[in-house]
């Protein structure tokens, strides 16, 4: 009987803690949703959590805004382009790092890890100088440089996404038995055939996770996009920050934009949740 | 092992991109860091000035203050996350109905854009209609204003980071804990060890690699945090109380177009993180003796 | 591949253990060059902040070159 009471108490404790944690996690996000559903006048009443009437104008104002549309398009193009590029290149690179005895392999891993974890702030000035001074051709109106282009951003995001993808895929490709490759080589297959016919199908789930997570990292990036674009290639995260700097912030519309930014992330949580831990620890911890 | 030339060929595209956008910029700023170069000064030319930029840097109170804020922020945030995360992971170790629901909800903050996290917490704490200052004032008669109180602003960014990253610690710890073998723990229980002894002498040593990995990843992340804090406190305010090194470069040094000085600072920031990254690398890799 | 159960190591760090070493860990050439560069920068920064009023910076350069040489050859 005594044991039973203890068990019930410990379950109750677990539930109480987790219900509190869940509320603490969800309430801030919900509060933002509430703000996005209110008109400017309603905001300054005493805070309450009930949405009495959904004020859609915050969303419609934003969605029909030309600038916002172009920001959104840029974000989609840059993240998708970057994720596809990164996954394809990382597959080749990781296959090489996994199957070939390359001299100085671990130095490559150290360098890439540093690039993944380096503060983006340290990259601001170097990349700004690189994009405006070094990779600039022509003068005057015919001048062309990587600053404020989508290609520039796609290349830029490789700095942190490519190392991430290489580290994550290393564990996955190591998990594919080498004997399969060897057998194919004995049968006269070329390297490209081995990668396409053996590695690609077997690593497909891992590649999908890499693609999705790289996409989210590129989508979420703010600092580099804010300094290395000016108008043409601005992304949605920089758009969100612009709401605050303008005098007299329209909190409702800002909340609406923020809600639109986090929708893709929530979809990812739903699909890739199981692989998130491996992804964020470079494949070191798996569940 | 197959012919290494093919291997290098497969590796080449990635290495070229990483070299061009990840290493060339730093070789360039290593060069620029030894020059006095300001586009808006009287002479727009680069003039060599040796280590003057670095000499100025180690005495720059703003820079040193920003580093100190970053270290304090990282310390408080990471320690709290490790403790809370470990505790929550222990509670998730056992099966109970609704476990996967709680876990899924817990994951949500991890994937939200940092800038949106900043927006969320700004809406919560903004004086006027944010619920946190309102409720604190109503219930405890306590004035909470991150716009003019430095301590409270610092507290706010630490709490925001805890909210953002504790799920990562929880999930990683949970994965590590569930992978642990049960035998040593059971043997200790038979020998009459209490739960604290089991935790201290069996679970903790077994978990050490995971804890170290999580710790170093979190430290590196903490050192590079910019977006959320920039959004929450509007660029490190009030004063410089929440201005981390990243925000300092982004909001103060970068707009000044003092390229030589900015280069030196970027390089020094990178230096500090590379040293930290070395520990992460060692904890992530297996040693193979030759 | 790894003797720890709670963690996977996707990457191996190849080191030389057949040599006497001063550093507390096994290292390879890249590690030793890396460590000596890190120490070199640290010595210079420390010197700039605290000691330059008494002694020229070139002293720091000489000291760090000596330290670097020792680490690379004996580390």
């Amino acid at each position: 009987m005594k044991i039973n009471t203890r068990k019930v108490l410990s379950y109750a404790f677990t539930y109480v803690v987790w219900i509190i944690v869940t509320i603490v996690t969800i309430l801030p996000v919900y509060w933002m949703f509430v703000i996005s559903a209110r008109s400017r006048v309603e905001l300054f009443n005493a805070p309450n959590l009930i949405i009495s009437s959904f004020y859609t104008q915050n969303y419609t104002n934003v969605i029909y805004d030309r600038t916002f549309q172009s920001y959104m398009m840029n974000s989609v193009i840059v993240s998708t382009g970057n994720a596809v590029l990164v996954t394809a290149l990382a597959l080749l690179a990781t296959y090489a790092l996994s199957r070939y005895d390359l001299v100085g392999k671990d130095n490559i891993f150290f360098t890439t890890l540093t690039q993944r974890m380096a503060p983006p702030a340290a990259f601001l000035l170097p990349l700004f100088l690189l994009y405006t001074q070094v990779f600039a051709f022509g003068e005057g109106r015919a001048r062309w440089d990587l600053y404020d282009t989508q290609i520039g951003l796609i290349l830029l995001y490789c700095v942190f996404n490519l190392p991430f993808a290489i580290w994550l895929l290393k564990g996955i490709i190591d998990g594919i038995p080498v004997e399969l490759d060897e057998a194919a080589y004995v049968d006269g297959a070329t390297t490209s055939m081995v990668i396409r016919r053996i590695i690609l199908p077997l690593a497909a789930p891992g590649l999908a996770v890499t693609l999705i997570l790289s996409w989210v990292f590129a989508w979420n990036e703010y600092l580099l996009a804010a300094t290395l674009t000016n108008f043409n290639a601005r992304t949605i995260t920089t758009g969100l920050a612009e709401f605050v700097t303008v005098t007299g912030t329209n909190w409702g519309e800002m909340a609406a934009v923020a809600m639109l930014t986090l929708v893709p992330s929530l979809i990812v949580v739903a699909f890739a949740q199981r692989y998130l831990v491996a992804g964020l620890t470079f494949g070191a911890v798996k569940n | 092992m197959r012919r290494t030339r093919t291997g290098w060929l497969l590796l080449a595209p990635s290495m070229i991109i990483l070299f061009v956008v990840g290493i060339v910029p730093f070789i360039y700023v290593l060069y620029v860091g030894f020059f006095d170069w300001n586009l808006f000064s009287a002479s727009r030319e680069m003039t060599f000035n040796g280590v003057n930029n670095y000499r100025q840097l180690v005495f720059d109170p703003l820079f040193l203050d920003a580093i100190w804020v970053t270290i304090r922020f990282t310390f408080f945030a990471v320690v709290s996350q490790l403790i809370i995360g470990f505790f929550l992971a222990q509670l998730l170790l056992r099966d109970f109905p609704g476990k996967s629901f709680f876990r899924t909800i817990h994951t949500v903050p991890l994937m939200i854009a940092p800038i949106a996290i900043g927006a969320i917490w700004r809406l919560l704490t903004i004086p006027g209609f944010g619920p946190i200052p309102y409720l604190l004032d109503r219930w405890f008669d306590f004035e909470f204003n991150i716009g003019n109180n430095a301590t409270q602003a610092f507290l706010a960014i630490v709490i925001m980071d805890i909210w953002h990253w504790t799920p990562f610690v929880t999930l990683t710890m949970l994965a590590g804990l569930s992978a642990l073998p049960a035998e040593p723990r059971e043997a200790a229980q038979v020998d009459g060890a209490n739960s604290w002894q089991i935790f201290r002498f069996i679970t903790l040593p077994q978990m050490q690699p995971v804890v170290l990995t999580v710790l170093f990843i979190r430290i590196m992340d903490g050192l590079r945090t910019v977006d959320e804090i920039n959004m929450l406190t509007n660029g490190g305010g009030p004063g410089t109380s929440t201005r981390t090194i990243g925000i300092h470069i982004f909001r103060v040094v970068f707009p000044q177009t003092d390229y030589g000085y900015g280069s030196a600072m970027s390089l020094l920031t990178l230096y500090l993180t590379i040293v930290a990254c070395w520990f992460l690398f060692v904890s992530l890799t297996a040693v193979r003796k030759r | 591949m790894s003797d720890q159960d709670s963690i996977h190591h996707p990457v191996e760090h190849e080191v030389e253990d057949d040599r006497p070493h001063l550093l507390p860990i096994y290292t390879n050439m890249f590690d030793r060059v890396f460590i000596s560069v890190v120490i070199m920068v640290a010595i210079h920064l420390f010197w700039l902040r605290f000691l330059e009023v008494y002694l020229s910076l070139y002293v720091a350069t000489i000291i760090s070159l000596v330290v670097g040489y020792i680490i690379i050859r004996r580390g």
Side-chain angles (χ1 to χ4, degrees):
Chain A
M1 203 54 208
K2 183 171 171 265
I3 296 162
N4 228 346
T5 328
R6 270 191 73 174
K7 214 170 174 183
V8 168
L9 272 179
S10 102
Y11 267 103
F13 178 68
T14 311
Y15 270 106
V16 168
V17 169
W18 272 99
I19 287 169
I20 292 172
V21 168
T22 306
I23 290 172
V24 168
T25 312
I26 266 319
L27 218 51
V29 183
Y30 178 72
W31 174 247
M32 190 165 75
F33 178 67
V34 170
I35 298 271
S36 78
R38 278 194 186 152
S39 69
R40 198 187 274 254
V41 187
E42 283 176 275
L43 287 182
F44 290 92
N45 302 337
N48 68 66
L49 289 171
I50 296 134
I51 304 173
S52 45
S53 64
F54 198 96
Y55 181 76
T56 48
Q57 216 171 333
N58 287 328
Y59 285 93
T60 49
N61 275 355
V62 168
I63 290 171
Y64 290 113
D65 183 69
R66 292 303 282 271
T67 326
F68 176 78
Q69 284 170 354
S70 90
Y71 287 1
M72 195 80 173
M73 267 324 277
N74 283 331
S75 260
V76 171
I77 292 170
V78 169
S79 330
T80 313
N82 177 261
V84 171
L85 179 73
V86 155
T87 314
L89 290 182
L91 174 65
L92 301 181
T94 319
Y95 181 75
L97 289 166
S98 166
R99 297 296 150 89
Y100 293 86
D101 196 13
L102 305 175
V103 182
K105 201 152 69 164
D106 44 354
N107 306 339
I108 292 176
F109 278 110
F110 175 58
T111 318
T112 50
L113 186 68
T114 317
Q115 284 170 332
R116 172 68 178 85
M117 300 311 271
F123 281 88
L124 294 183
L125 197 63
L127 280 165
F128 182 76
L129 291 177
L130 189 79
Y131 274 28
T132 56
Q133 311 282 328
V134 181
F135 290 154
F137 309 100
E139 282 299 321
R141 305 198 65 182
R143 186 183 159 86
W144 182 89
D145 55 31
L146 275 174
Y147 180 75
D148 201 15
T149 58
Q150 291 163 351
I151 307 267
L153 280 187
I154 290 178
L155 282 178
L156 183 59
Y157 290 172
C158 286
V159 177
F160 54 86
N161 266 344
L162 201 49
F164 160 75
I166 289 175
W167 273 81
L168 185 55
L169 281 176
K170 177 70 164 61
I172 290 162
I173 291 188
D174 277 347
I176 299 172
V178 194
E179 290 75 25
L180 291 178
D181 306 23
E182 300 293 341
Y185 282 125
V186 170
D187 291 345
T190 60
T191 313
S192 87
M193 278 165 75
V194 169
I195 293 180
R196 270 183 297 138
R197 303 263 171 79
I198 296 174
I199 303 295
L200 200 57
L202 287 175
L207 287 172
V209 172
T210 313
L211 189 82
I212 292 174
L213 289 179
S214 315
W215 195 90
V216 173
F217 288 141
W219 176 272
N220 286 352
E221 211 287 327
Y222 161 71
L223 195 58
L224 294 168
T227 39
L228 291 168
T229 62
N230 188 17
F231 178 74
N232 292 324
R234 294 230 111 177
T235 57
I236 186 168
T237 45
T238 57
L240 180 55
E242 277 171 14
F243 269 100
V244 180
T245 48
V246 180
T247 45
T249 305
N250 188 342
W251 297 107
E253 282 186 16
M254 191 198 85
V257 174
M259 285 310 290
L260 292 174
T261 358
L262 60 86
V263 166
S265 334
L266 294 184
I267 294 172
V268 169
V269 170
F271 282 107
Q273 205 226 114
R274 277 187 52 219
Y275 306 96
L276 216 54
V277 172
L280 291 170
T281 56
F282 304 95
V285 181
K286 290 181 183 131
N287 51 344
Chain B
M1 285 293 171
R2 311 203 65 81
R3 291 219 329 276
T4 54
R5 210 167 54 117
T6 325
W8 286 114
L9 219 59
L10 290 171
L11 203 52
S14 309
M15 291 302 111
I16 290 170
I17 288 189
L18 284 180
F19 184 73
V20 169
V21 283
I23 295 179
V24 168
F26 287 103
I27 298 175
Y28 189 59
V29 292
L30 181 64
Y31 170 76
V32 174
F34 289 110
F35 288 85
D36 190 13
W37 185 25
N38 192 338
L39 282 189
F40 288 95
S41 70
S43 76
R44 296 176 52 190
E45 299 300 306
M46 290 168 80
T47 43
F48 185 77
N49 67 358
V51 292
N52 267 347
N53 285 326
Y54 294 94
R55 190 171 286 136
Q56 194 187 338
L57 205 53
V58 291
F59 288 105
D60 182 350
L62 286 179
F63 175 71
L64 295 176
D65 189 47
I67 287 193
W68 178 231
V69 169
T70 314
I71 291 174
R72 266 191 312 160
F73 162 72
T74 310
F75 175 80
F76 287 119
V78 172
V79 168
S80 328
Q81 282 156 10
L82 281 180
I83 294 170
I84 300 173
F86 205 100
F87 172 69
L88 290 180
Q90 286 280 359
L91 286 186
L92 269 190
L93 207 49
R94 183 174 47 184
D95 274 323
F96 57 90
K99 175 177 157 175
S100 62
F101 167 78
F102 288 130
R103 219 178 75 170
T104 309
I105 297 293
H106 197 48
T107 334
V108 166
L110 274 182
M111 281 288 110
I112 299 180
I115 187 93
I117 303 249
I120 288 172
W121 281 83
R122 190 161 173 149
L123 290 174
L124 279 177
T125 54
I126 192 161
F129 64 86
I132 292 177
Y134 176 82
L135 291 180
L136 284 176
D137 185 51
R138 179 96 182 268
W139 291 345
F140 305 106
D141 202 19
F142 179 80
E143 198 197 328
F144 186 83
N145 187 345
I146 65 164
N148 59 25
N149 187 319
T151 322
Q152 288 169 2
F154 186 78
L155 195 70
I157 64 171
V158 171
I159 291 175
M160 173 176 66
D161 202 68
I162 293 172
W163 182 82
H164 188 181
W165 285 109
T166 303
F168 166 68
V169 182
T170 312
L171 294 180
T172 318
M173 295 287 190
L174 177 65
L177 283 171
S178 356
L180 290 184
E183 294 88 43
R185 229 174 319 151
E186 282 160 6
Q189 243 157 12
V190 171
D191 292 346
N194 63 32
S195 49
W196 164 252
Q197 285 169 328
I198 292 178
F199 169 77
R200 170 70 188 79
F201 294 105
I202 294 170
T203 311
L204 213 52
Q206 280 179 325
M207 282 293 284
Q208 194 199 356
V210 177
V211 173
L212 281 183
T213 308
V214 171
L215 178 71
F216 290 131
I217 292 180
R218 283 302 313 134
I219 288 178
M220 308 276 316
D221 276 341
L223 295 177
R224 65 211 283 274
T225 311
V226 172
D227 305 4
E228 304 101 296
I229 303 177
N230 185 35
M231 189 76 176
L232 176 61
T233 64
N234 209 354
T240 60
S241 57
T242 57
R243 190 187 284 165
T244 61
I245 181 63
I247 296 178
H248 183 61
I249 294 179
F250 175 52
R251 298 288 285 245
V252 180
V253 180
F254 186 73
Q256 277 171 355
T257 69
D258 188 347
Y259 290 152
Y261 190 55
S263 297
M265 195 182 287
S266 304
L267 210 57
L268 203 57
T269 313
L270 187 76
Y271 167 80
L272 296 175
T273 35
I274 285 181
V275 175
C277 195
W278 171 254
F279 292 100
L280 174 62
F281 180 72
V282 170
S283 76
L284 273 180
T285 51
V287 169
R288 193 175 76 187
K289 290 168 183 171
R290 185 163 57 201
Chain C
M1 204 165 83
S2 152
D3 51 342
Q4 301 288 356
D5 289 305
S6 53
I7 195 163
H8 306 254
H9 294 291
V11 175
E12 284 180 346
H13 183 200
E14 215 171 83
V15 295
E16 303 155 12
D17 69 339
D18 52 347
R19 59 208 298 287
H21 56 277
L22 292 174
L23 295 174
I25 48 166
Y26 291 118
T27 52
N28 60 27
M29 194 60 190
F30 178 87
D31 300 342
R32 290 192 293 276
V33 172
F34 173 80
I35 291 170
S36 44
V37 170
V38 164
I39 291 178
M40 198 165 172
V41 175
I43 290 177
H44 277 92
L45 289 173
F46 181 82
W47 206 276
L48 279 175
R49 182 77 167 89
F50 297 108
L51 295 173
E52 215 198 0
V53 273
Y54 313 112
L55 278 170
S56 153
L57 191 64
Y58 290 106
V59 182
T61 311
I62 293 165
I63 292 176
S64 51
L65 283 178
V66 171
V67 172
Y69 178 81
I70 293 172
I71 288 175
I72 288 174
R73 294 307 300 270
R74 304 261 178 87

